Amino acid sequence: VQLVESGGDLVQPGGSLRLSCVASGFTFSDSPMSWVRQAPGKGLEWVASMYSFINKIYYSDSVSDRATLTLDKAKNTVSLEMNGLKSEDSAVYYCARVNGVGGYYDYWGQGTQVTVSS
């Protein structure tokens, strides 16, 4: 099982970004996943989750009006698009697979850096 994120960048406040997470060894159609971020000096913060097999998507309050999760089944890729970026969105963004039995994150990607600054 492997998860690889991409798309992180330096963006100006108010800008947009699209992060992608490609999975191998399992399919997002069968397994739930989440995006989790960690800002410098802070703990992990849940951002959004997708449960494709029951057609459910959840967002944290901090991004709910600015984020969109999409699944490309052919590429086994989940993308997180964020608009209206703020400095507080600066963080390393990780995608993680949710273990279907225990509900914990059992596999993580290496992370992609998002920096929001003028």
Side-chain angles (χ1 to χ4, degrees):
V1 173
Q2 189 175 19
L3 296 162
V4 179
E5 304 97 332
S6 62
D9 205 349
L10 171 62
V11 185
Q12 291 189 344
S16 300
L17 208 57
R18 185 180 184 91
L19 306 180
S20 294
C21 175
V22 182
S24 58
F26 73 100
T27 64
F28 285 127
S29 297
D30 299 326
S31 297
M33 66 80 62
S34 293
W35 282 95
V36 179
R37 66 187 181 185
Q38 186 169 31
K42 296 189 176 182
L44 294 171
E45 178 190 8
W46 170 72
V47 177
S49 294
M50 174 181 284
Y51 291 72
S52 176
F53 53 96
I54 56 173
N55 202 30
K56 294 288 187 182
I57 296 175
Y58 304 95
Y59 301 97
S60 69
D61 289 343
S62 60
V63 304
S64 60
D65 58 344
R66 302 182 292 120
T68 303
L69 271 184
T70 56
L71 169 62
D72 184 330
K73 292 183 178 181
K75 297 180 179 180
N76 203 28
T77 298
V78 172
S79 295
L80 171 67
E81 186 167 357
M82 293 184 64
N83 305 307
L85 286 164
K86 309 173 184 178
S87 58
E88 51 263 44
D89 293 318
S90 296
V92 178
Y93 284 70
Y94 300 93
C95 65
R97 191 180 79 166
V98 179
N99 182 277
V101 176
Y104 55 90
Y105 301 131
D106 56 3
Y107 291 96
W108 294 75
Q110 83 289 349
T112 186
Q113 177 71 52
V114 173
T115 303
V116 183
S117 176
S118 56

